[in-house]
Amino acid sequence: MAKSEDEKDLKQADIEEETEAKEFADADQTQEEAKDKSEETQAESVEEPAVDPLADLQAALEKKDDELLRAQAEIQNIQSRNAREIQNIRKYDGQKLAEAILPVVDNLERALAVEVGDDDQVAQIHKGVEITLKTLKQALTTNGIQEVGQVGDDFDPNTMQGVQSVPAEGEIKADQVATVLQKGYVLQDRVIRPAMVAVGQ
């Protein structure tokens, strides 16, 4: 009977030791897990990139430099465009005046085409018209306005308007101007009025 109780006490003592050992093991494991977690947190905090104010300033400066270069290029384009427009205005500034004067030139040429006869007064008027026409044509030439469309010239559709076809005879060959019905004029490289011509075929 006493032996049975001793065995029972020994067994109880073994259970208590196992329980204590398990509790110690659990406590050690909890401490290890906490330690590992703390180390992971520290590692994560170390891995986060630090904010570099110098790099931010450098990026902002590069952006401003790019904007400045674009603005300068835009200003240069505007200046070039304005310079071309001013050049064209100067180059073609006499176009409206020329368009207004050309009918006067036409009328003076028609007046000179009329035969004078033996009347001295008519001859003097004819001479005055001739001088006036010459002065007007000189003014047109001085301002870069030239006649186009002469008899015998090759037909040019850019400066001439063919209004009729005639047989090519004598010195007039095919695709050449046989008759000028109305003179044409160009200002520099711009056609003010195309010449109205008859073309040899």
Side-chain angles (χ1 to χ4, degrees):
M1 184 79 172
K3 187 178 180 181
S4 176
E5 287 178 3
D6 289 339
E7 289 178 357
K8 196 173 185 182
D9 290 339
L10 284 174
K11 192 172 183 181
Q12 183 69 28
D14 290 338
I15 292 172
E16 287 176 359
E17 286 179 6
E18 287 178 6
T19 304
E20 287 178 6
K22 188 175 182 182
E23 286 177 357
F24 281 129
D26 290 342
D28 289 341
Q29 186 176 0
T30 303
Q31 287 177 357
E32 288 292 334
E33 289 177 356
K35 185 178 178 182
D36 292 342
K37 193 170 184 181
S38 175
E39 289 175 355
E40 287 177 4
T41 305
Q42 288 177 0
E44 289 176 359
S45 63
V46 170
E47 289 174 2
E48 289 181 2
V51 177
D52 187 359
L54 184 61
D56 291 344
L57 288 173
Q58 186 69 28
L61 182 61
E62 289 175 359
K63 183 179 179 183
K64 291 297 180 185
D65 285 343
D66 182 65
E67 291 174 355
L68 178 62
L69 289 175
R70 290 177 185 275
Q72 288 175 339
E74 183 65 23
I75 290 170
Q76 189 172 3
N77 289 338
I78 292 171
Q79 289 174 340
S80 299
R81 187 164 53 249
N82 288 342
R84 284 195 302 270
E85 289 175 359
I86 291 170
Q87 184 179 4
N88 285 338
I89 289 170
R90 289 176 180 168
K91 188 176 181 180
Y92 304 117
D93 65 346
Q95 181 171 349
K96 287 186 178 180
L97 179 61
E99 289 171 350
I101 290 176
L102 292 182
V104 178
V105 174
D106 294 338
N107 290 333
L108 291 175
E109 287 179 338
R110 290 189 193 100
L112 290 176
V114 176
E115 299 221 357
V116 177
D118 295 331
D119 192 331
D120 288 341
Q121 275 190 325
V122 175
Q124 287 178 357
I125 293 171
H126 189 275
K127 186 67 175 175
V129 171
E130 188 177 355
I131 292 171
T132 303
L133 177 61
K134 184 178 180 180
T135 304
L136 272 176
K137 285 190 171 183
Q138 183 61 44
L140 293 174
T141 303
T142 302
N143 287 277
I145 300 165
Q146 301 291 333
E147 291 182 9
V148 290
Q150 304 291 329
V151 174
D153 290 347
D154 292 332
F155 177 72
D156 181 5
N158 296 315
T159 59
M160 305 175 191
Q161 182 179 355
V163 294
Q164 66 183 50
S165 299
V166 297
E169 296 177 349
E171 295 181 357
I172 303 301
K173 300 177 182 178
D175 293 328
Q176 286 187 339
V177 176
T179 308
V180 178
L181 306 175
Q182 185 182 56
K183 289 182 179 179
Y185 292 88
V186 295
L187 171 60
Q188 306 294 346
D189 54 358
R190 178 181 290 179
V191 177
I192 299 176
R193 187 178 76 183
M196 297 176 66
V197 298
V199 184
Q201 293 293 329

